[in-house]
Every structure is written in C-alpha cells, then in structure tokens.
Amino acid sequence: MSFSSFYDEGGNSFITSKVKTIKVGLEDERFELLPNQGAFNYLLRNRLKYMTELEGILIDWQIIKVKVKKKMNADLTPFKRLSIKGKFTILNVCEGNILSGEIIQIKDKTLIARTYDIFLAHIEIGSDFVGKVGE
C-alpha cells in the first residue's frame, strides 16, 4: 500500500527517501485484523507533519511489510502495536536552510509562499520588503 505526492526528488538535498521500520500503537482493535489499513490510516494522518521516528516531515510512502506485535507494559498489562516497514519520502529542513518557493499571497506583515508544490511557508516580513505575488 502506498501514497505518492508525485514529487520528483530530482537532486534536492532536503527531500530524501529511506527504508525504515517504525513502531506505532494500535489505536483501533479492528486494525489487528487489517494491519495494512491501520498502517495506512496512521501514515495518512501524519502526512505533511514532522515525525520523530523518520527525522523529518512525511511526504509519501510505500509500505513493504506490516506486523502486529503483542507486548507487555512494565505493569504487565498487554498492548498491541504495529511495526511498519516501508520506503518513506521525507523533507528534512533545519533552521537556517534556504528553500526556494513562489509567493502566492502577501497580507499584512506575512508572506505566504509555496515550496515543492506541496508546502506552504508563512514568513514574517518587514515594511521594507520588496516582492510581489508570482515571484
């Protein structure tokens, strides 16, 4: 099961793909019988959000394998979690990195730009800012 944003990495150093296994809590017992659907729902809810497990913002994925694991808490109460192995495409940007984008709106003291055709950046601007929509 996969999700694709149709984004071409094309040599971009901020967007990378990696094969990794992440472990998440099984939120709905129904997904014990449909683990692929549980994994897809979890990833879809976290798309375009920072995921600590992946060290970046999730863009898209291809699920390779999903398993339901049964574990015990320290107080010996049982719990279940999903182990999701997949190829994940992530955006990893740090403070100070420079991204290119297109200005789509300027209002008050905020500029809104679209970058990679899937992210919006809200940037505070000063009164001396020179620029226009479309640049």
Side-chain angles (χ1 to χ4, degrees), residues 18 49-58 90-92:
K18 60 175 140 182
K49 295 180 184 171
Y50 184 85
M51 292 185 65
T52 305
E53 310 95 317
L54 297 173
E55 300 170 337
I57 297 170
L58 179 63
I90 60 165
L91 172 70
N92 190 354

Side-chain angles (χ1 to χ4, degrees), residues 36-88:
N36 283 336
Q37 188 61 46
F40 182 80
N41 285 357
Y42 174 82
L43 295 169
L44 191 58
R45 272 196 325 276
N46 286 285
R47 183 174 180 265
L48 301 182
K49 295 180 184 171
Y50 184 85
M51 292 185 65
T52 305
E53 310 95 317
L54 297 173
E55 300 170 337
I57 297 170
L58 179 63
I59 297 174
D60 62 27
W61 61 86
Q62 181 177 5
I63 295 173
I64 298 170
K65 186 193 293 188
V66 179
K67 292 181 191 174
V68 176
K69 303 266 187 167
K70 297 178 184 182
K71 300 283 183 182
M72 292 286 219
N73 284 326
D75 64 358
L76 300 179
T77 56
F79 73 96
K80 296 174 186 144
R81 67 179 180 193
L82 292 176
S83 174
I84 306 167
K85 181 177 182 179
K87 181 179 179 185
F88 302 98

